Amino acid sequence: SAAVFYPSYDYMELILPELGLSEFSHHIETRNASGKAGERKAHLEKGVNDGAVLFHAVIGGSFSEGVDFKKNPFKLIMVAGFPHPKSGGPHAAYESYLGWKFKSRHTAGLYASIYPAIIRSVQALGRGIRNETDWCYGLFIDDRFEKYRELLPMGIRERAQQLSPSAIGKETREFALRAGA
C-alpha cells in the first residue's frame, strides 16, 4: 500500500481529481473526518489487507505523525507538494525577526520556511519506516525538492533520482500491480 501526503486539504482537493491511479483503492482523510482516530486507523488497516490502498492525508494531520499501523503497510510514500509553513502574521513576524537576527533575508527564509518544509517532508516519508527492518520507496513530487536537494538527509539525497511526471505515473502503477491491485 501507499500513502500520499499533501501540504494542505485545499491542495489535496485540487490534485485528487487529477490523480487517477485506478489501480488503487483510495482512502481519503478529510478535513472534518468523523469518528475517533483509532476507529479510522482500524478501518484503513482493514482496507490494506484487501489489496493495494492509496491513502491520502495532509502533512501535519492526524495520520502523518505518531500513528503506527499494524505490519507497517506503507511501502510507497509520496509527498505531493512542498509543505511551506502557513503564511500569515505570526510567520511573517518570525521571518522578519530572523532576518534582523541573521542580517540576511535568505537565511531567514531558510530557517522560517525551507528547513521546516524539508523536515516535515522527511517526517512524512518516515511514515513508511517505523523500525530498522522496514523499507519503503519515497517520492517527493515538487520541483523545489530538487532545488533544495542538498538539505535532504544524506541517505535520501544519495539515493534520490529526478523523474519526469510520466515516469512517476508509470512507476506508481507498476508499484500498485506488484502490491496486489
Side-chain angles (χ1 to χ4, degrees):
S1 292
V4 183
F5 291 101
Y6 303 87
S8 69
Y9 287 106
D10 292 336
Y11 190 72
M12 179 170 63
E13 291 168 8
L14 179 71
I15 298 298
L16 214 53
E18 305 298 321
L19 195 58
L21 298 175
S22 59
E23 298 84 0
F24 288 93
S25 168
H26 294 265
H27 180 95
I28 302 164
E29 181 68 8
T30 61
R31 188 184 317 252
N32 299 315
S34 60
K36 295 181 180 177
E39 293 168 356
R40 295 191 321 267
K41 176 184 161 220
H43 176 73
L44 177 61
E45 287 173 335
K46 181 188 177 309
V48 165
N49 293 330
D50 296 336
V53 170
L54 186 55
F55 175 58
H56 303 269
V58 171
I59 288 181
S62 59
F63 284 120
S64 67
E65 300 170 11
V67 176
D68 287 323
F69 293 91
K70 291 179 186 172
K71 299 179 186 174
N72 191 20
F74 302 118
K75 298 303 176 198
L76 172 62
I77 302 291
M78 294 177 263
V79 177
F82 199 75
H84 276 285
K86 194 172 191 173
S87 62
H91 183 265
Y94 179 58
E95 192 165 342
S96 178
Y97 164 74
L98 291 174
W100 169 81
K101 180 176 177 147
F102 293 111
K103 311 275 188 274
S104 166
R105 289 187 77 179
H106 174 74
T107 302
L110 284 173
Y111 280 104
S113 297
I114 305 305
Y115 291 151
I118 293 291
I119 290 167
R120 294 176 91 197
S121 299
V122 171
Q123 285 174 330
L125 182 61
R127 171 69 23 230
I129 303 170
R130 305 308 293 166
N131 64 52
E132 63 276 354
T133 62
D134 285 340
W135 62 271
C136 82
Y137 294 100
L139 287 173
F140 292 128
I141 306 172
D142 192 294
D143 290 343
R144 289 169 285 193
F145 288 111
E146 182 62 26
K147 180 178 179 180
Y148 298 113
R149 180 187 191 114
E150 290 302 312
L151 301 178
L152 292 168
M154 189 182 310
I156 294 171
R157 187 174 59 234
E158 289 174 341
R159 292 178 177 91
Q161 299 174 11
Q162 189 171 10
L163 300 174
S164 69
S166 61
I168 291 171
K170 180 180 180 275
E171 294 290 328
T172 304
R173 284 182 180 83
E174 288 177 8
F175 175 84
L177 293 172
R178 285 192 307 270

